[in-house]
DNA sequence: AAGGAACTCAACCGCCGACAA
DNA sequence: GTTGTCGGCGGTTGAGTTCCT
């Protein structure tokens, strides 16, 4: 498909920026005569040097009759919160339940009123996670010193340490932030789930998953690709099969 | 009073799916 | 099956406004 900036003739120098009262008048008159739809012809026949897309947006978000102006009411806010909980960022779906409000309006409202709150609560979460992380590292250090856990460099190394009478805990090493994730060789699937849980729960706020070298680790689908091979555990990270003991 | 920071919101952008030719 | 157009959506931008120091 050819890249285009708007609907209609792409080469044409379309007008951009704020709409003038004259343009609004032309658009309103045209739509009231011919109805909504066929937006590319609106721009052509209404004498507007705007893309069809721009015309549609202006009509839907600003000129359409029945649009409410002014503050979102507490009732509307309640509906937005509730519906966002169900549908997430499906602004057009949410807007259908708020007559007179546009998806753009709701989207902007959410961003300005709730992203703020999210930010401040994220800060709190981060602080909490930092404390947990420190406590966790301290606990791991104690376990290491007591010999309850071992950090290994290879499968062979891991096998050498494996004591049949007790369940060994190994750690997978992340190249990021000196993190170690606990790995139980017995139950790979539950490990995968616990990793995901830990990842989101304890460290989710601290790690940028996208920046992680094997970012897919946080995705259950990938973690489920774990398999047992001769008592060694392998984990598939986005196509690359890696041994969980490697990278130490 | 001034100027920088934070906020608001209209408009734009890029992408996707549906549909017709 | 392929290509082009249109409608629609969510994310982002940036100019104008308000707030804060």
């Amino acid at each position: 498909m050819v890249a285009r900036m708007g609907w209609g003739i792409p080469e044409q120098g379309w007008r951009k920026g704020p709409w003038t009262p004259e343009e609004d008048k032309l658009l309103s008159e045209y739509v009231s005569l011919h109805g909504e739809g066929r937006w590319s012809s609106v721009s052509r026949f209404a004498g507007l040097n705007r893309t069809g897309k721009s015309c549609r947006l202006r009509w839907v978000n600003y000129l359409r009759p029945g649009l409410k102006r002014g503050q979102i009411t507490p009732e509307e806010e309640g509906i937005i919160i509730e519906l966002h909980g169900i549908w997430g960022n499906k602004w057009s779906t949410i807007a259908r339940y708020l007559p007179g409000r546009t998806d753009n309006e709701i989207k902007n409202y959410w961003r300005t009123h709730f992203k703020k709150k999210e930010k401040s609560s994220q800060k709190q979460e981060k602080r909490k996670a930092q404390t947990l992380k420190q406590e966790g590292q301290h606990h791991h250090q104690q376990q290491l010193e007591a010999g309850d856990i071992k950090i290994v460099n290879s499968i062979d190394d891991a096998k050498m340490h494996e004591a049949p009478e007790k369940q060994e805990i190994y750690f997978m090493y992340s190249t990021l932030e000196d993190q170690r994730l606990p790995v139980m060789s017995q139950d790979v699937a539950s490990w995968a789930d616990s990793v995901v849980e830990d990842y989101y729960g304890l460290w989710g706020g601290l790690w940028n998953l996208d920046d992680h070298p094997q970012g897919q680790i946080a995705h259950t689908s990938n973690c489920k690709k774990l398999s047992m091979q001769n008592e060694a555990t392998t984990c598939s990270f986005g196509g690359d099969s890696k041994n969980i003991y490697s990278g130490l």
Side-chain angles (χ1 to χ4, degrees):
Chain A
M1 208 189 286
V2 186
R4 58 180 197 280
M5 297 305 287
W7 309 334
I9 310 151
E11 295 80 16
Q12 195 168 335
W14 298 107
R15 220 186 94 76
K16 286 207 246 177
W19 281 64
T20 64
E22 290 74 31
E23 286 176 312
D24 282 346
K25 193 165 168 258
L26 283 171
L27 181 59
S28 296
E29 280 171 0
Y30 188 91
V31 175
S32 57
L33 275 173
H34 300 92
E36 292 181 37
R38 300 182 304 280
W39 294 106
S40 58
S41 49
V42 171
S43 58
R44 241 177 290 143
F45 297 117
L48 288 160
N49 192 26
R50 297 273 185 174
T51 64
K53 215 171 181 174
S54 182
C55 291
R56 178 191 157 268
L57 209 68
R58 183 64 178 172
W59 175 257
V60 167
N61 289 335
Y62 200 81
L63 298 173
R64 192 170 53 181
L67 288 180
K68 277 187 196 167
R69 296 264 163 244
Q71 292 269 309
I72 300 272
T73 65
E75 290 75 28
E76 288 174 320
E77 186 183 297
I79 294 168
I80 292 169
I81 293 167
E82 200 168 315
L83 296 182
H84 188 271
I86 300 167
W87 290 306
N89 296 356
K90 299 277 172 198
W91 306 117
S92 59
T93 311
I94 295 169
R96 284 186 205 122
Y97 290 82
L98 294 163
R101 301 293 186 187
T102 68
D103 53 354
N104 213 30
E105 209 175 355
I106 296 166
K107 182 168 60 183
N108 282 334
Y109 183 78
W110 182 268
R111 283 182 65 82
T112 53
H113 290 80
F114 296 106
K115 279 287 169 184
K116 261 193 310 199
K117 290 177 190 172
E118 202 175 275
K119 249 186 184 174
S120 59
S121 67
Q122 261 175 3
K123 273 183 191 169
Q124 284 180 351
E125 285 291 316
K126 204 170 178 173
R127 248 179 268 132
K128 216 168 113 186
Q130 189 67 45
T131 313
L132 279 168
K133 182 187 161 189
Q134 278 163 4
E135 282 171 4
Q137 280 178 346
H138 178 66
H139 180 62
H140 288 163
Q141 191 57 42
Q142 281 182 327
Q143 283 183 302
L144 262 174
E145 281 162 11
D148 293 341
I149 59 170
K150 291 180 177 67
I151 294 171
V152 292
N153 294 304
S154 65
I155 313 161
D156 292 338
D157 201 2
K159 279 178 179 171
M160 267 176 63
H161 282 100
E162 209 150 22
E165 69 276 10
K166 94 175 192 194
Q167 190 178 50
E168 296 277 353
I169 301 170
Y170 297 102
F171 282 87
M172 186 179 74
Y173 196 87
S174 161
T175 53
L176 209 70
E177 292 196 22
D178 195 33
Q179 292 286 351
R180 294 185 183 111
L181 301 176
V183 172
M184 315 275 281
S185 62
Q186 273 78 0
D187 187 352
V188 175
S190 67
W191 168 75
D193 284 337
S194 76
V195 167
V196 172
E197 224 177 274
D198 283 343
Y199 208 95
Y200 280 120
L202 180 56
W203 295 306
L206 295 167
W207 288 13
N208 183 345
L209 305 183
D210 293 337
D211 289 347
H212 192 276
Q214 279 92 32
Q216 292 86 349
I217 189 175
H219 297 196
T220 313
S221 59
N222 283 301
C223 287
K224 290 289 184 193
K225 286 179 188 168
L226 288 161
S227 60
M228 296 292 284
Q229 288 177 354
N230 307 322
E231 294 179 66
T233 311
T234 55
C235 182
S236 210
F237 294 104
D240 289 339
S241 194
K242 280 194 175 249
N243 194 287
I244 57 167
Y245 301 117
S246 66
L248 291 167

